[in-house]
Amino acid sequence: MPVPRRFDRRPPERDTTRINERIRVPEVRLIDDEGNQIGVLKTADALSFAQERDLDLVEVAPEARPPVCRVLDYSKYKYEQAQKVKQARKHQQQITIREIKFRPKIAQHDYDTKKHHVERFLRHKDKVKVTIMFRGREVTHPERGTAILDRLAEELSELGVVEQRPLQEGRNMTMMMAPSKAVLAGRIDVGETPNGEVREGAHMGDVASAAIDSPSAPPPVADAAEDPPADEQESAAVLAQAPPEDGAGSSADTAVS
């Protein structure tokens, strides 16, 4: 039998803005629908003023003495406010925190793979939490974890900055990296293709090798007049000394006969 869902006993959210008959103070300071100040009126007179124009009397400053009320279309006002909040939320930049875990005795290949993941997260403008996990007696050598984190931060210095230095908590050592200003502004050029586009998942080692091998220098072309390689010369010498096959005489035997 399925377990019934718990009953939510929280009261529903209700609009706390007082409008029309919910305004209970004896008098208010009235502002009409065009923004002009009418003055201090009795609440009943201000409500009649709003109803004559098919609008609402809305309390906009309840702390004032007397409270300030404005004549407007409250439904339209709420819709416009909701749209402003929606637009402001759309332009907000969402930052996601990713986590990558290392071991203090990590092999070079595994280190390169995990570094590639950190680089990819930083390119996507995400923060990265790098964690070193210690097991057993490894916790007595925290300098190994610090060395790995410092090396990672140095190799990815163009893509990310260290927000939180390596901090050890129990058997884990953590470091927080955030995208650099160049990545956030879209000015980073590490790992770009010849067309100026950023390669997805480009390694720092690839970029370094690309910088060493200049694209303007063509690869060396072998000269046709050069001597054949040593293995080809050795094969030719062996064939020259091999005895002839059965039924096929050499040129010397042919001359004697």
Side-chain angles (χ1 to χ4, degrees):
M1 182 176 180
V3 179
R5 298 177 59 183
R6 292 185 178 180
F7 181 74
D8 190 359
R9 299 181 182 276
R10 293 176 299 177
E13 296 182 0
R14 51 179 299 186
D15 191 358
T16 58
T17 304
R18 288 191 287 266
I19 64 173
N20 298 332
E21 289 80 4
R22 292 172 58 186
I23 303 174
R24 303 296 180 86
V25 294
E27 59 183 13
V28 295
R29 185 178 300 277
L30 185 63
I31 301 176
D32 64 3
D33 52 335
E34 296 180 357
N36 302 321
Q37 291 195 14
I38 305 301
V40 179
L41 299 177
K42 292 183 178 181
T43 304
D45 296 339
L47 184 57
S48 301
F49 182 87
Q51 291 175 350
E52 290 174 359
R53 290 160 176 77
D54 293 331
L55 297 174
D56 301 312
L57 182 66
V58 182
E59 190 179 50
V60 294
E63 296 84 5
R65 292 292 178 266
V68 180
C69 295
R70 186 165 185 174
V71 177
L72 50 84
D73 187 349
Y74 188 61
S75 299
K76 182 179 179 181
Y77 172 76
K78 286 184 63 178
Y79 174 77
E80 292 175 352
Q81 291 299 112
Q83 291 298 316
K84 288 181 181 179
V85 172
K86 185 177 180 180
Q87 290 296 329
R89 192 176 302 165
K90 183 183 299 184
H91 292 291
Q92 288 179 351
Q93 185 177 5
Q94 300 290 336
I95 300 253
T96 307
I97 298 180
R98 307 295 188 115
E99 184 175 10
I100 292 291
K101 296 182 179 180
F102 288 74
R103 290 293 312 280
K105 297 181 180 179
I106 188 171
Q108 181 63 36
H109 177 73
D110 295 337
Y111 172 84
D112 294 337
T113 302
K114 291 179 180 292
K115 185 184 76 171
H116 168 61
H117 293 324
V118 176
E119 179 182 351
R120 178 164 52 90
F121 293 151
L122 293 175
R123 287 184 181 276
H124 285 83
K125 303 180 181 180
D126 296 335
K127 291 185 178 182
V128 184
K129 179 182 179 182
V130 186
T131 303
I132 304 292
M133 299 184 303
F134 296 94
R135 294 180 183 175
R137 293 187 177 181
E138 293 176 350
V139 73
T140 60
H141 298 281
E143 66 278 0
R144 296 183 178 179
T146 305
I148 294 176
L149 296 179
D150 292 342
R151 174 187 174 188
L152 183 68
E154 182 180 358
E155 293 179 353
L156 299 180
S157 58
E158 297 188 16
L159 297 176
V161 295
V162 178
E163 273 195 350
Q164 175 185 326
R165 299 298 302 172
L167 176 64
Q168 186 169 3
E169 298 178 355
R171 292 188 173 272
N172 292 335
M173 179 180 293
T174 59
M175 180 183 70
M176 185 69 70
M177 295 188 67
S180 63
K181 293 182 178 180
V183 173
L184 295 176
R187 300 193 308 268
I188 191 66
D189 56 355
V190 177
E192 287 186 351
T193 61
N195 297 330
E197 301 176 355
V198 177
R199 290 185 301 170
E200 178 67 23
H203 287 277
M204 300 293 291
D206 299 339
V207 178
S209 61
I212 296 174
D213 300 334
S214 175
S216 59
V221 180
D223 191 359
E226 291 181 353
D227 296 334
D231 53 353
E232 296 184 5
Q233 296 180 4
E234 184 178 356
S235 301
V238 171
L239 292 176
Q241 298 177 1
E245 298 180 358
D246 296 340
S250 62
S251 57
D253 297 337
T254 305
V256 170
S257 59

